[in-house]
């Protein structure tokens, strides 16, 4: 009943403001589809956000390394699915890799502690390093990385870290949800949200 009431309010408010809107700029197809549903098909347009090419670039050609660097950049909360990435790495213990986790923005401290416990239980603590990097520092860490994973469990609206990571010389793997598949656009690098087995298979191939 609460959801129905909420939808009715949105519907009637939308009717009032609809004719006052000239143009809506959307930065992904997923966002445009939502506005199309609300009746803005002829008033909405897709203009991707892009990224800062002066910050995100490859300094030198990457050489083949003995140890692969797998990274996560973004907010720390359950909907970002970082635990899915950790679970997948349990199946890659025979390979030489290390994991970098960006812990600059911890939104759920309880979840962060659970991640640390999961890392310990998975016996990958020695291979895992938590880093803190703001927007100005993140490119340097991306250049040290080889594979970036976006294991999101919710409808990501854009995922600019994908473009930034590729610009710094990474292969980016992501869950098939929201606008992530729009940007990655390669089924071999996409997996069902929460499916850590499928993610481990992709990482093994890489």
């Amino acid at each position: 009943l609460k959801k129905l009431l909420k939808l009715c309010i949105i519907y009637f408010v939308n009717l009032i403001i609809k004719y006052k809107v000239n143009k809506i700029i959307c930065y992904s197809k997923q966002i445009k589809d939502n506005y199309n549903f609300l009746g803005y098909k002829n008033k909405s347009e897709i203009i991707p956000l892009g990224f800062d090419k002066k910050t995100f670039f490859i300094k030198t050609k990457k050489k083949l390394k003995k140890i692969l660097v797998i990274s996560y950049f973004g907010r720390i909360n359950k909907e970002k699915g970082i635990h899915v990435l950790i679970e997948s790495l349990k199946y890659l213990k025979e390979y030489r890799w290390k994991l970098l986790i960006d812990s600059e923005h911890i939104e759920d401290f309880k979840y962060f502690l659970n991640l640390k416990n999961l890392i310990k239980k998975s016996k990958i603590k020695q291979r895992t390093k938590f880093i803190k990097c703001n927007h100005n520092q993140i490119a340097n860490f991306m250049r040290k990385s080889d594979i970036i994973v976006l294991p999101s469990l919710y409808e990501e609206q854009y995922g600019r870290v994908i473009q930034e990571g590729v610009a710094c010389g990474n292969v980016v793997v992501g869950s098939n949800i929201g606008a992530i598949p729009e940007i990655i656009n390669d089924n071999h690098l996409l997996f069902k949200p929460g499916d850590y087995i499928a993610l481990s298979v992709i990482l093994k191939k890489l």
Side-chain angles (χ1 to χ4, degrees):
L1 287 173
K2 284 182 180 179
K3 285 183 180 179
L4 184 61
L5 180 63
K6 186 180 178 181
L7 284 171
C8 288
I9 293 169
I10 291 171
Y11 177 78
F12 287 112
V13 169
N14 186 54
L15 282 178
I16 296 168
I17 67 168
K18 191 174 180 180
Y19 300 101
K20 295 182 180 291
V21 174
N22 292 320
K23 182 72 74 175
I24 296 174
I25 305 301
C26 310
Y27 49 82
S28 74
K29 181 179 179 294
Q30 190 222 16
I31 295 172
K32 180 169 170 54
D33 288 343
N34 290 336
Y35 279 111
N36 288 351
F37 178 76
L38 291 171
Y40 294 93
K41 188 173 183 179
N42 297 323
K43 292 186 176 184
S44 58
E45 188 175 342
I46 300 174
I47 299 180
L49 284 175
F51 65 96
D52 183 0
K53 292 181 180 180
K54 291 179 181 178
T55 303
F56 300 92
F57 58 90
I58 304 171
K59 282 187 176 179
T60 55
K61 190 176 180 181
K62 288 195 172 184
K63 296 178 181 179
L64 191 65
K65 295 184 290 187
K66 289 183 179 180
I67 298 177
L68 209 66
V69 180
I70 301 168
S71 304
Y72 166 81
F73 297 99
R75 295 175 288 120
I76 302 285
N77 61 42
K78 193 174 183 178
E79 64 183 10
K80 290 300 236 177
I82 308 153
H83 59 282
V84 178
L85 170 58
I86 294 166
E87 290 282 1
S88 73
L89 292 173
K90 291 194 298 186
Y91 298 91
L92 277 80
K93 287 181 180 177
E94 70 271 28
Y95 298 93
R96 294 172 65 83
W97 54 265
K98 67 177 181 178
L99 174 65
L100 297 182
I101 299 177
D102 176 14
S103 58
E104 177 73 14
H105 303 287
I106 301 172
E107 295 183 346
D108 187 337
F109 194 72
K110 186 179 178 182
Y111 177 69
F112 179 64
L113 293 177
N114 288 338
L115 284 180
K116 284 192 165 185
N117 288 330
L118 182 60
I119 288 166
K120 190 177 180 180
K121 287 179 182 177
S122 302
K123 297 180 180 179
I124 60 169
K125 189 177 179 181
Q126 300 301 319
R127 300 190 187 197
T128 305
K129 184 179 180 181
F130 288 95
I131 57 172
K132 285 185 176 289
C133 49
N134 59 36
H135 191 69
N136 296 321
Q137 300 167 323
I138 195 170
N140 291 326
F141 284 101
M142 284 181 171
R143 280 188 274 271
K144 294 175 184 177
S145 177
D146 300 294
I147 301 170
I148 293 174
V149 182
L150 274 78
S152 300
L153 300 174
Y154 79 112
E155 300 280 336
E156 285 276 10
Q157 296 298 296
Y158 191 67
R160 187 158 55 184
V161 71
I162 299 169
Q163 295 184 34
E164 293 171 345
V166 170
C168 291
N170 288 264
V171 175
V172 183
V173 179
S175 49
N176 195 359
I177 194 168
I180 292 175
E182 285 183 49
I183 307 171
I184 292 180
N185 195 27
D186 185 340
N187 289 330
H188 296 99
L189 299 174
L190 295 168
F191 61 96
K192 186 180 177 182
D195 190 345
Y196 54 85
I197 299 293
L199 174 55
S200 71
V201 171
I202 294 171
L203 292 175
K204 280 181 182 180
K205 287 179 180 179
L206 291 174

